[in-house]
């Protein structure tokens, strides 16, 4: 029996560019949708016809033509930032699904070309249009896909931690519950006296029984 779920096996055939062109927030959600029969197998432009054929073979379904509304397959592209015009807004850093862009607020950013998946998600958010997609000059390999998957997982984990930290910072302070007022000493004394009297009466009745 296989140790992997159907979604795992589908995910292993996807290119892990995390481009969201399929309509899902990454390759894993798309794999899960295919496994649940909620999405067709032909929505992945980076995977192209070869990827569709692999999915069809795994699932035992007919090969479909690529859904051209999702984009066209092509050679691997990588993002390049015109550093002379970068204003350091960090919007591209936030958009990158694999943390392939480095920089700091109001400082020049740059792209780690070996990490870039060619998803182009960083292009649209740039307010000064200083990012362009350029040919990578190399193919996207299975090793690239494995690294893209792992970097995306780390990215999601980091974003979840940041969201949790922000939620804690924004949460209203809960006032401390005031300590309970100490019990009135007189009341406690009366309770003890009543209990002792009741016990004494019970003992007396028990001793008086023949």
């Amino acid at each position: 029996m296989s140790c992997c779920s159907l979604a795992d096996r589908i995910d292993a055939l996807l290119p892990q560019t995390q481009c969201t062109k399929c309509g899902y927030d990454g390759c894993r959600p798309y794999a899960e949708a295919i496994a649940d029969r909620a999405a067709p197998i032909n929505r992945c432009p980076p995977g192209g016809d070869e990827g569709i054929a692999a999915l069809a073979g795994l699932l035992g379904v007919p090969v479909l033509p690529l859904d051209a509304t999702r984009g066209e397959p092509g050679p691997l592209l990588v993002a390049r930032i015109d550093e002379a015009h970068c204003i350091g807004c960090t919007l591209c850093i936030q958009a990158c699904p694999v943390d392939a862009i480095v920089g700091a607020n109001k400082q020049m950013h740059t792209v780690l070309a070996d990490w870039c998946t060619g998803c182009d998600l960083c292009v649209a958010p740039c307010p000064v249009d200083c990012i362009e997609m350029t040919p990578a000059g190399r193919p996207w390999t299975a090793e690239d896909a494995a690294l893209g998957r792992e970097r995306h997982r780390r990215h999601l984990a980091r974003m979840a931690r940041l969201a949790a930290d922000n939620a804690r910072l924004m949460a209203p302070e809960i006032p401390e519950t005031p300590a309970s007022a100490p019990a009135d000493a007189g009341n406690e004394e009366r309770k003890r006296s009543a209990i002792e009297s009741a016990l004494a009466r019970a003992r007396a009745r028990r001793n008086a029984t023949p």
Side-chain angles (χ1 to χ4, degrees):
M1 183 173 63
S2 174
C3 64
C4 299
S5 69
L6 179 57
D8 290 333
R9 286 177 282 163
I10 294 171
D11 186 55
L13 297 178
L14 296 177
Q16 305 304 318
T17 56
Q18 317 303 339
C19 65
T20 74
K21 289 180 172 63
C22 60
Y24 292 86
D25 291 334
C27 295
R28 179 67 192 193
Y30 181 42
E32 292 172 351
I34 293 175
D36 292 339
R37 301 185 182 277
I41 63 174
N42 64 339
R43 289 187 177 182
C44 179
D49 293 335
E50 183 179 345
I52 294 172
L55 291 171
L58 172 66
L59 300 171
V61 298
V63 173
L64 299 174
L66 179 67
D67 182 353
T69 65
R70 302 289 168 176
E72 295 291 339
L76 176 64
L77 303 177
V78 295
R80 187 183 71 83
I81 296 175
D82 183 349
E83 297 175 350
H85 293 90
C86 176
I87 61 174
C89 68
T90 76
L91 293 178
C92 60
I93 291 178
Q94 297 171 44
C96 181
V98 293
D99 295 331
I101 303 177
V102 294
N105 188 39
K106 297 183 180 180
Q107 295 185 23
M108 180 185 69
H109 301 346
T110 192
V111 177
L112 303 176
D114 289 343
W115 287 31
C116 181
T117 67
C119 69
D120 78 22
L121 291 174
C122 59
V123 174
C126 179
V128 292
D129 295 326
C130 71
I131 303 176
E132 64 175 339
M133 303 304 296
T134 61
R138 65 179 184 86
W140 183 255
T141 67
E143 182 182 4
D144 289 322
L147 291 171
R149 180 187 294 107
E150 182 58 29
R151 287 167 183 155
H152 186 52
R153 286 175 178 168
R154 293 178 183 176
H155 170 81
L156 293 177
R158 182 175 65 82
M159 297 304 291
R161 288 194 301 271
L162 289 174
D165 290 343
N166 288 336
R168 284 194 294 270
L169 290 173
M170 297 299 292
E173 292 187 5
I174 301 174
E176 294 184 3
T177 304
S180 301
D184 181 77
N187 288 337
E188 288 299 315
E189 183 61 32
R190 285 192 292 272
K191 286 180 184 179
R192 283 195 295 271
S193 297
I195 292 170
E196 289 173 358
S197 297
L199 290 173
R201 289 194 298 273
R203 285 194 294 269
R205 284 196 300 272
R206 186 171 60 250
N207 292 335
T209 301

